[in-house]
């Protein structure tokens, strides 16, 4: 606190102050040596009063600086421009959130429709299967018909294999929409911060003081989705790590 | 060896993001479960649980209204609900959070982003554990 920069004193003035302090301390030592407790107590009081005075002077200086800073802030139109742009920024991010949500739902709609069609295709494959079985029985000694039944069986197998692959891929496609939940959570977090900054800035600009209410972005203590490069200490490194930790409590 | 899954289980999926509820529902459908109900936070989930015969709960953590951890505590504190397995599927990966969930009696914990394989694995494990305990 008492560095030369913040005291604002020139080196000469500082040296003078130090000399004065030394003189006072010498006086006090002398008083003590002479057993003059009353004088010592008086000198000590003086010294403390001087410290207090300079403390209050510093506070006054800080208050003045702060007031000047506020005035400068008010007259700087960039702050007002920023304050008016923040709601736009928040609204734009809200819009991004809605767009991703809509796109994810659209994709899930298509996935579910495709899954239903694929299930119908599976039923068709079943029909082929029973037709083939009947053909096989009717073929009797006809090698041509037996060959046909064999051909149908390989078509059927290929159909079932493709159906399985498509089912798996559709499931993966649905799973990939998870990005919307994670990016949505992050966007909500950022819009929360923007709205908080906006609120505080408006407060500052209108110079209103008083009790600070916490906004909607109040900290829940939760960290939200992990962000590359912004990993928080204390987070697990993945599902295996989470499993190991959980296992200790089960 | 895993215990065979009972496909008739009545499952409640709790998440404030409708896309996530659909994704979990889709995965569960693929695994053969069809009796699935959705709720968007703990506050709407709790009355559903108290009214219906649910066998399983899959819940997010960070939700407005009532977060998943509170829902879990309510379930564990309710004489009629406390036996229901609760699987948490959440982006919250802080060690202290996982410990908090474990202490509150969570049955499984999946960190988002996750895969269908992970979900199946955790379901198998939980059912196996409950089958052994039964």
């Amino acid at each position: 606190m008492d560095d030369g920069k913040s005291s604002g004193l020139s080196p000469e003035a500082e040296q003078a102050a130090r000399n004065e302090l030394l003189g006072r301390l010498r006086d006090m030592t002398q008083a003590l040596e002479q057993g003059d407790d009353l004088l010592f107590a008086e000198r000590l009081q003086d010294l403390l009063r001087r410290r207090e005075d300079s403390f209050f002077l510093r506070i006054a200086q800080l208050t003045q600086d702060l007031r000047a800073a506020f005035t400068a802030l008010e007259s700087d139109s960039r702050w007002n421009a920023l304050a008016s742009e923040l709601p736009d920024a928040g609204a734009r991010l809200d819009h991004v959130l809605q767009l991703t949500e809509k796109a994810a739902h659209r994709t899930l709609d298509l996935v579910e429709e495709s899954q239903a069609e694929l299930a119908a295709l599976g039923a068709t494959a079943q029909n082929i299967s029973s037709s083939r079985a009947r053909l096989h029985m009717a073929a009797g000694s006809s090698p041509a018909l037996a060959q046909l039944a064999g051909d149908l069986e390989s078509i059927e197998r290929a159909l079932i294999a493709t159906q399985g692959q498509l089912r798996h891929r559709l499931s993966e496609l649905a799973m990939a929409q998870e990005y919307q939940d994670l990016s949505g959570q992050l966007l909500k977090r950022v819009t929360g911060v923007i709205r908080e900054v906006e609120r505080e800035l408006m407060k500052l600009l209108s110079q209103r003081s008083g009790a600070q209410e916490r906004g909607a972005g109040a900290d829940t203590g939760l960290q939200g989705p992990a962000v590359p490069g912004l990993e928080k200490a204390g987070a697990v490194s993945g599902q295996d790590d989470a499993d190991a930790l959980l296992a200790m409590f089960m | 060896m895993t215990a065979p899954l009972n496909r008739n289980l009545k499952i409640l999926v709790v998440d404030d993001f409708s896309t996530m509820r659909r994704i979990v529902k889709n995965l569960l459908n693929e695994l053969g479960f069809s009796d699935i109900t959705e709720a968007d936070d703990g506050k709407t989930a709790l009355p559903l649980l108290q009214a219906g015969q649910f066998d399983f709960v899959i819940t997010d953590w960070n939700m407005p209204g009532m977060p998943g951890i509170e829902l879990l505590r309510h379930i564990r504190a309710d004489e009629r609900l406390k036996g229901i397995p609760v699987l948490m599927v959440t982006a919250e990966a802080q060690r202290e959070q996982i410990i908090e969930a474990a202490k509150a009696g969570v049955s499984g914990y999946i960190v988002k982003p996750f895969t269908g394989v992970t979900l199946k694995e955790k379901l198998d494990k939980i059912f196996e554990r409950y089958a052994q305990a039964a």
Side-chain angles (χ1 to χ4, degrees):
Chain A
M1 279 297 268
D2 230 348
D3 55 317
K5 214 184 269 172
S6 64
S7 69
L9 292 177
S10 66
E12 294 79 20
E14 233 178 287
Q15 188 56 49
R18 197 168 289 136
N19 287 340
E20 203 212 322
L21 184 62
L22 272 172
R24 281 171 178 272
L25 286 173
R26 238 177 254 124
D27 280 355
M28 285 168 71
T29 320
Q30 215 173 17
L32 260 188
E33 279 168 358
Q34 288 166 1
D36 192 344
D37 289 349
L38 200 67
L39 186 64
F40 175 78
E42 234 171 66
R43 292 277 188 264
L44 186 61
Q45 280 294 336
D46 273 357
L47 201 62
L48 290 175
R49 203 172 301 124
R50 273 176 56 86
R51 290 293 299 179
E52 256 173 46
D53 287 352
S54 76
F55 175 72
F56 284 119
L57 269 174
R58 292 271 287 278
I59 293 272
Q61 183 60 47
L62 274 176
T63 313
Q64 233 170 38
D65 288 352
L66 199 60
R67 196 172 297 145
F70 267 120
T71 316
L73 188 66
E74 246 196 330
S75 61
D76 191 336
S77 60
R78 281 174 307 171
W79 287 103
N80 284 304
L82 183 62
S84 67
E85 272 171 27
L86 282 175
D88 283 0
R92 283 192 191 106
L93 288 181
D94 281 343
H95 186 57
V96 171
L97 183 66
Q98 281 160 16
L99 285 178
T100 59
E101 192 180 357
K102 218 171 129 190
H105 274 301
R106 178 77 188 123
T107 309
L108 287 169
D109 283 344
L110 293 172
V111 165
E112 280 167 18
E113 282 164 27
S114 304
Q115 280 170 335
E117 276 162 21
L118 203 57
L121 206 64
T124 309
Q126 281 297 315
N127 287 340
I128 294 178
S129 177
S130 61
S131 299
R132 187 206 11 111
R134 271 184 279 132
L135 183 64
H136 200 71
M137 292 224 273
S141 56
S142 164
L145 285 182
Q147 174 67 41
L148 192 58
D151 288 351
L152 271 180
E153 192 175 4
S154 40
I155 291 174
E156 196 188 304
R157 274 211 203 102
L159 207 60
I160 288 168
T162 308
Q163 191 207 8
Q165 281 162 5
L166 280 177
R167 260 187 65 167
H168 177 69
R169 219 162 283 157
L170 283 173
S171 185
E172 291 282 303
L173 193 53
M175 198 65 227
Q177 303 313 304
E178 193 186 15
Y179 83 89
Q180 201 277 325
D181 171 273
L182 296 177
S183 61
Q185 286 191 49
L186 293 171
L187 282 175
K188 278 188 174 173
R189 213 161 249 271
V190 175
T191 48
V193 170
I194 289 178
R195 303 234 146 93
E196 182 79 19
V197 170
E198 182 196 337
R199 233 187 330 268
E200 293 301 320
L201 194 58
M202 290 312 284
K203 238 189 257 172
L204 208 62
L205 287 173
S206 61
Q207 276 208 9
R208 262 183 296 148
S209 56
Q212 302 248 327
E213 92 255 26
R214 294 287 301 164
D219 203 355
T220 55
L222 298 176
Q223 297 293 342
V227 179
L230 290 178
E231 289 90 352
K232 298 275 164 75
V236 293
S237 61
Q239 186 62 45
D240 289 345
D241 202 3
D243 287 347
L245 187 58
L246 202 63
M248 296 197 295
F249 292 86
M250 300 244 168
Chain B
M1 290 296 273
T2 55
L5 291 180
N6 174 5
R7 315 280 173 194
N8 297 320
L9 290 183
K10 196 172 152 123
I11 303 175
L12 182 64
V13 176
V14 193
D15 200 308
D16 56 329
F17 273 74
S18 56
T19 39
M20 200 57 196
R21 293 199 301 270
R22 273 186 88 174
I23 290 164
V24 173
K25 205 172 153 182
N26 194 284
L27 281 174
L28 290 171
N29 281 332
E30 280 301 298
L31 293 174
F33 300 101
S34 54
D35 195 352
I36 301 157
T37 308
E38 300 177 30
D40 60 6
D41 81 332
K43 249 184 207 156
T44 48
L46 209 51
L48 286 172
L49 283 168
Q50 281 156 349
Q53 300 286 312
F54 282 95
D55 303 299
F56 201 90
V57 175
I58 296 178
T59 183
D60 183 22
W61 182 313
N62 194 0
M63 296 178 286
M66 187 196 289
I69 187 75
E70 245 185 85
L71 174 65
L72 172 62
R73 291 201 179 104
H74 274 99
I75 291 172
R76 292 292 176 253
D78 188 312
E79 210 39 57
R80 289 178 308 138
L81 304 179
K82 67 179 183 190
I84 302 177
V86 177
L87 174 62
M88 209 157 231
V89 179
T90 171
E92 303 305 329
Q94 294 293 112
R95 305 183 76 84
E96 53 186 277
Q97 246 106 45
I98 298 175
I99 293 169
E100 195 182 344
K103 284 182 176 162
V106 82
S107 315
Y109 197 104
I110 294 180
V111 180
K112 291 180 194 171
F114 67 108
T115 64
V117 176
T118 307
L119 181 66
K120 167 134 193 357
E121 213 179 86
K122 300 301 158 211
L123 288 175
D124 284 343
K125 214 170 175 181
I126 292 169
F127 290 134
E128 197 183 351
R129 189 149 16 93
Y130 273 75
Q132 279 170 2

